[in-house]
Amino acid sequence: MPDPARSHTQEGAESAAGVEAPAEIPQCMATMDVVPDGDRMTVTVWGELDLGSRRLLPDLQDILTLSGSGIDLRLDAIGFCDCSGLNMLLDLRMRALDQGKTVAVRSSGRAVERLLDLTGARELFAAPGPHRDAVSPAAAEEPGPGADDDQELRAEVAQLRRAMQTRPTIDLARGILMASFSLSPEAAWSVLVRTSQNTNTKLHHLARDLVDTVHGSTLPEPVQQQLAAAVASAIPRNRTAEVGD
């Protein structure tokens, strides 16, 4: 019997370079076990994938780093999975792409299958190579008695879908701010959020307009002013004068 989730998460979070689960994240209700399989790592997870599952992320990122080509997930024993759990898996996938690796869901139960289908995220976790496993038969089963009570989940899924679509542009805009003003990722994010709020502009619209400036377009004057103010407040005082010169 594997150790409880605490042994996999809190200790791993302390050892992960610069990655720790925030204290406000609830207790993790999932447990995982890891088995090397050639150049990949097979990770079996059971329990619940909700907001608390973000505590698994530091360990999963360490496992990804140790793998040759990525991680294969076995999620058959996941009894509950919401958009917070899927977001955690998407963050792991983004890290894998940065390393030229993949994260594949090799098998999963009804809870995960339902969310993958609702979000259209199944193909993002498709198994690489010719040895793709068949998905869990749970996907082919008739929906359970609670299938009509999905309104809240569907609304959350719609928000997640929008986030998945706009995230690349937002990340690119944040990268432009980081490169232009030597900001940290956190400071660049703060600049985007503050400018968005002060100009009553949706964040992804602001990000798109900022990315377009690379190709010669110009931000409206009020947006430029608020962006400059947000950047000035995000830059340490001992550097503000340098940027103004």
Side-chain angles (χ1 to χ4, degrees):
M1 182 70 181
D3 296 333
R6 180 181 179 86
S7 64
H8 288 288
T9 57
Q10 293 183 353
E11 293 177 3
E14 295 172 0
S15 63
V19 180
E20 294 189 8
E24 65 271 15
I25 292 181
Q27 181 180 0
C28 181
M29 302 301 292
T31 306
M32 66 182 183
D33 190 32
V34 185
V35 177
D37 182 12
D39 66 344
R40 298 183 68 79
M41 295 286 195
T42 296
V43 178
T44 302
V45 188
W46 55 96
E48 299 182 359
L49 292 181
D50 53 13
L51 181 59
S53 66
R54 292 205 68 83
R55 293 183 178 272
L56 294 175
L57 193 54
D59 277 349
L60 286 169
Q61 290 173 344
D62 286 345
I63 294 166
L64 177 67
T65 300
L66 292 173
S67 71
S69 64
I71 290 177
D72 293 326
L73 295 171
R74 301 284 182 180
L75 306 177
D76 307 76
I78 295 297
F80 174 82
C81 182
D82 64 8
C83 288
S84 297
L86 180 57
N87 245 334
M88 182 274 292
L89 296 178
L90 290 170
D91 285 345
L92 179 64
R93 177 179 178 271
M94 291 295 291
R95 175 66 66 91
L97 292 177
D98 289 342
Q99 297 181 14
K101 301 176 183 179
T102 58
V103 174
V105 174
R106 290 288 182 177
S107 57
S108 54
R110 181 191 296 276
V112 176
E113 291 287 337
R114 176 167 163 261
L115 195 55
L116 291 177
D117 287 338
L118 284 172
T119 60
R122 182 183 299 279
E123 288 303 313
L124 299 179
F125 297 98
H131 58 291
R132 176 179 298 186
D133 291 358
V135 298
S136 168
E141 295 178 3
E142 291 297 322
D148 294 332
D149 301 325
D150 289 344
Q151 184 174 359
E152 182 176 347
L153 177 59
R154 289 182 185 276
E156 190 178 359
V157 164
Q159 294 175 356
L160 179 59
R161 275 183 170 171
R162 286 195 294 270
M164 290 168 60
Q165 293 169 352
T166 59
R167 180 170 176 172
T169 303
I170 294 173
D171 285 345
L172 186 55
R174 186 167 61 167
I176 291 172
L177 292 174
M178 291 167 59
S180 299
F181 303 104
S182 299
L183 298 176
S184 68
E186 294 78 12
W189 173 254
S190 176
V191 167
L192 283 174
V193 171
R194 179 174 176 180
T195 305
S196 171
Q197 293 174 341
N198 291 344
T199 60
N200 196 26
T201 306
K202 290 187 177 180
L203 186 62
H204 64 276
H205 289 166
L206 173 63
R208 181 197 60 201
D209 292 344
L210 185 59
V211 171
D212 287 344
T213 63
V214 175
H215 304 292
S217 65
T218 304
L219 293 173
E221 184 64 26
V223 176
Q224 290 186 41
Q225 293 175 357
Q226 292 296 333
L227 183 65
V231 169
S233 67
I235 295 177
R237 292 182 180 178
N238 61 351
R239 289 184 46 228
T240 304
E242 299 175 10
V243 175
D245 291 342

